Amino acid sequence: AGLDRWSIVRTVLVFGTGDDLGRSNIALWIVDQLSKANRISVVTDQFRTPTYVDDLARGVERIVRFNKSGIYHISGRELMSVHEFAEIVAEVFELDPGLIDAVDASTFSQTAPRPPKTGFIILKAETELGFKPRSLREALTDLRTKIESRVSSD
């Protein structure tokens, strides 16, 4: 395209909330289902570095502000199974983790196969951008606060 300055941001398992979401995400789905006392099945053999959408936005903002180019991995630091992620969501939102069934990926028929491990080393973003994602529990606590404040203002 004739552009000499470009950036690519790679991320994984983004969760959070915002105005007029086009679709949900895994954290909101977990909260929704467990708050209705519905059982859910979550895989134990797929590992991710969950990314809070607010941290992702801060990482992108830093790329723009510092006029950086190149490829940046912007995600959380903590690599965990999707099942472990679901259990932490339940814990932070004070929902019943006993409703989460541990399954393996063969349980689901997916349009496209999912890799067993999708996580990033974010050292470049940390070093060049000063990117510091929140811990998963901090991010989920912030998400809970946002959800509760929206409910109370409705």
Side-chain angles (χ1 to χ4, degrees):
L3 300 175
D4 61 346
R5 304 280 304 163
W6 53 267
S7 294
I8 295 172
V9 174
R10 297 183 71 214
T11 194
V12 63
L13 196 66
V14 178
F15 68 93
T17 192
D19 295 330
D20 301 319
L21 292 180
R23 61 179 236 174
S24 189
N25 57 72
I26 190 166
L28 297 180
W29 174 77
I30 293 165
V31 170
D32 178 60
Q33 294 301 302
L34 297 182
S35 65
K36 294 174 182 173
N38 292 337
R39 296 196 74 74
I40 60 173
S41 297
V42 183
V43 294
T44 58
D45 59 347
Q46 291 181 358
F47 296 83
R48 307 288 184 259
T49 49
T51 307
Y52 187 37
V53 71
D54 290 13
D55 291 341
L56 174 60
R58 279 199 335 269
V60 171
E61 182 273 331
R62 287 174 166 276
I63 290 170
V64 173
R65 181 170 15 130
F66 299 138
N67 196 28
K68 295 290 189 175
S69 63
I71 299 171
Y72 289 89
H73 293 168
I74 305 287
S75 73
R77 281 189 191 101
E78 300 156 276
L79 181 68
M80 64 190 63
S81 74
V82 180
H83 184 268
E84 183 180 2
F85 174 77
E87 288 181 322
I88 295 170
V89 170
E91 175 189 321
V92 170
F93 280 81
E94 298 178 31
L95 299 167
D96 183 4
L99 294 169
I100 305 170
D101 296 326
V103 297
D104 64 40
S106 69
T107 305
F108 300 102
S109 60
Q110 298 175 324
T111 307
R114 302 289 189 261
K117 185 176 180 185
T118 306
F120 290 130
I121 296 171
I122 60 172
L123 185 60
K124 180 180 177 183
E126 290 174 319
T127 303
E128 293 184 13
L129 305 174
F131 176 67
K132 295 179 181 156
R134 286 169 256 209
S135 73
L136 179 59
R137 282 182 173 77
E138 290 170 329
L140 288 169
T141 299
D142 186 63
L143 177 60
R144 181 178 178 178
T145 300
K146 286 180 179 182
I147 290 170
E148 289 172 350
S149 70
R150 284 180 182 211
V151 170
S152 66
S153 67
D154 287 343

